[in-house]
Structures are given as structure tokens and as C-alpha cells.
Amino acid sequence: MTEAPLRLTELSHGGGCGCKIAPAALAEMLAHMPAAQPFANLLVGTETADDAAVWKLNDQQALIATTDFFMPIVDDPFDFGRIAATNALSDVYAMGGTPIMALAIVGMPVGKLPLSAIGRILEGGASVCAEAGIPVAGGHSIDSPEPIYGLVALGLAHPDVIKRNRDAKDGDVLILGKPLGVGILGSAMKKGVLDADGYAQMLAATTRLNKVGPALAVLPGVHALTDVTGFGLLGHLLEICRGAGLAAKVSAARLPVMPAAVGFAKQGIGPGAIGRNLASYGLSVNFEEGVEEWQRSVMADAQTSGGLMVACDPASADEVLEVFRQGGFTDATVIGRMEAGLPKVHVSA
């Protein structure tokens, strides 16, 4: 009898950044956390929902620290490891930093998953770290009911180039570096309707390191930088709005979307995180007449290892786009702007 092929996604109830707790639930969970004590060297903590914590080491160096892990979004163990590692390192790049090392976070159902498959997951993660020029210097593992993999990622940057959500300015244009639709394609794969071309589109996006982060951060016109992951484009843009005390306007027609994801979105295929995200945005997101249902889904779709989103002076937009394109991000697009107003996102058709 032929052994059935291994399907990692069947071992978990969710996958990728779609595993994130919804923004509204997370806010409720954290509502009664005691106020953080002031530390002079803590440049970035939890106050503005930034991508990583930052600690000033000296006048020339700041340490960036972050962690990210999740359950499989794909069935291939090596690809899962690559995607998870790329996603974890992205938070360092999103702060304007350069990774220096990583630690592996490993939770695996040892009795259900062959040790060889677990080894391939770790190899996939290590291959991405090698591409980033850093070691996997250690980690921690547990026997877990569902497969979990990710990294603790550490990086360095000059304290003056750290990019925070709160630093976006009225009039800034918004530029997105990668196309949307990762969660939608992941759902199509789990349903068995994603073809090889669609899988290739998803893999190309999720395994491309956001290495352009440091080059973007040093541009004088770049004010804020984040990456788009589990809360969807709208959720992470709302974090910028709230941090900066500004509104944002986005054009649905200008959003880059992976071609394979469009058809599935129109069929209503997508992760449960889309509904959770939309419910969490509440009145903080206003869809104008003409924005189609599938476009709303794409903007709320949980991205795994998504693109960098830049808020920059309009005069710097061409320079930012050129940095993206020189780094291989050919889908980089101006999608909207920041403007004065209550912290909300207005979506036009």
C-alpha cells in the first residue's frame, strides 16, 4: 500500500500569520497589563504596536529584538521552515535594522511527524538565515500537539534610523513592497484547488527577505516603516494611524495582489482570519461605495511574511520605489497617503 503524502497543514488548526489572535481580542487581553516602567535605553517598547523592541546600546548602536512563530501554512516541511524564518527576520528589517543572529523556536508533535520532516523544517529555516548572513545560534524545542516553528531574531541599527509607527507625517505617501493574497492562496491550497503556478507565486512572495529595510530607513524622506502580516494591510496601517495620530486613505484599485489570489478572493475563498480582522477594525475602517467585497477580503487577508509598508515624503516616493525595485520587489506600489484626522483608514474604489 502506498503511504499517503505528508500534509503538515492537516496537523494544525490554522496556518502562518493567520494563527494570530485577532486585534480586538488581543487588545482585550492586554487591557489590564500594568503600565511599563520607564527605561531610558528602551527606544521602542509596546506603546505604539511596532514590529520589534529596540534597546539603545550606545550612541552608535541599538539592539533590535523580536520573535515570531506559527503553525504550517504549506505542506512541504522545507518550504514551511523557509517561510517562517523569512517572516521572523522581517520584523528586524521593518525597524530599519540588519539581523545579526537567530534562535530557533520549535514545537513539534514528535509522535505524529517523522523526525526527518522536522529536520527539513529546521533546514529550511537555516537556509534563509544563511541567505541573511546570520547563524542560527541556538534555540528551544518542545513536544507539542501541533507543529510550531519560528525564530527569535536579533539585529542592529543606528539609533537615529530606527523607524517607528508614530513617526508618519501628514501628507506622507504609502508604498507597499509585496503583493497581497498570501492567506487566500494558503486557504486555496488546503482546499486542494491551488495549482503549481499559484503555489509558486505564494512561495516567491513569502520567502523573499525584506532586506531593503535598512536601505529604506536611511533615506531622509522615509518616516515610518512596518511589515504587513497577520492583521492584514488594514490592521497594520491602523497601527501606523494610531501611533501617529493620523488618518490614512487607500485606493483599492492600486493595491498589488498576486494574480492567482484574485480569482479565489472573488469566490470567497480565504482564511477565517479575514472575518476576524474585519470585525476587529470596526468603525476604524471606512469602505467607500464601489469597493468590492473581494477587495475588502484582500485588504483584511492575513499575510504571512508580507511586504514592507513605507510612509514617506511625496518627494521621496520615486527614490523609495527605486530602492524596492533594485532589491527585486517589482510589485512595489504607491497605495495611498496619510492625512490629518482621527486614526482611521478610508478605502476608496
Side-chain angles (χ1 to χ4, degrees), residues 60-307:
Q60 303 297 315
Q61 292 178 310
L63 177 68
I64 301 168
T66 182
T67 184
D68 213 315
F69 52 89
F70 47 61
M71 292 168 278
I73 189 175
V74 295
D75 289 318
D76 182 90
F78 189 78
D79 288 346
F80 170 42
R82 292 172 66 203
I83 293 168
T86 306
N87 178 75
L89 294 179
S90 182
D91 286 339
V92 174
Y93 294 127
M95 298 304 297
T98 300
I100 56 171
M101 73 172 182
L103 305 174
I105 298 170
V106 183
M108 294 291 157
V110 176
K112 298 179 182 178
L113 195 57
L115 296 181
S116 59
I118 298 173
R120 287 293 285 167
I121 293 170
L122 303 184
E123 288 173 29
S127 73
V128 166
C129 289
E131 182 185 346
I134 64 169
V136 179
H140 185 67
S141 62
I142 62 169
D143 191 344
S144 168
E146 297 181 286
I148 297 168
Y149 177 70
L151 301 175
V152 173
L154 301 176
L156 292 173
H158 193 287
D160 293 344
V161 303
I162 296 295
K163 298 304 171 187
R164 305 168 180 84
N165 289 336
R166 72 183 187 200
D167 295 327
K169 301 184 185 305
D170 181 9
D172 278 355
V173 298
L174 294 165
I175 298 174
L176 181 62
K178 285 185 184 180
L180 302 170
V182 174
I184 291 166
L185 293 182
S187 292
M189 189 204 73
K190 291 187 76 169
K191 290 179 179 293
V193 294
L194 184 67
D195 62 15
D197 180 62
Y199 185 80
Q201 290 178 37
M202 179 173 68
L203 197 62
T206 54
T207 59
R208 182 179 292 281
L209 284 164
N210 283 319
K211 285 184 177 182
V212 293
L216 292 168
V218 298
L219 297 179
V222 171
H223 301 137
L225 190 60
T226 192
D227 62 347
V228 177
T229 53
F231 299 154
L233 171 75
L234 296 175
H236 291 285
L237 182 51
L238 275 172
E239 290 178 339
I240 292 180
C241 291
R242 289 163 180 158
L246 296 169
K249 187 157 190 178
V250 172
S251 168
R254 294 187 62 87
L255 294 173
V257 184
M258 283 180 274
V262 174
F264 292 124
K266 289 180 177 179
Q267 296 173 47
I269 293 175
I274 289 176
R276 294 194 298 272
N277 283 341
L278 285 169
S280 294
Y281 306 152
L283 298 177
S284 294
V285 174
N286 173 49
F287 294 103
E288 296 181 3
E289 187 176 351
V291 179
E292 297 186 42
E293 197 65 36
W294 73 268
Q295 292 174 314
R296 301 181 189 207
S297 294
V298 165
M299 286 182 274
D301 184 31
Q303 301 305 287
T304 299
S305 190

Side-chain angles (χ1 to χ4, degrees), residues 37-59:
Q37 296 298 310
F39 291 89
N41 284 4
L42 184 61
L43 301 183
V44 181
T46 60
E47 297 80 11
T48 51
D50 277 290
D51 297 291
V54 182
W55 184 270
K56 183 178 179 181
L57 298 174
N58 52 55
D59 290 342

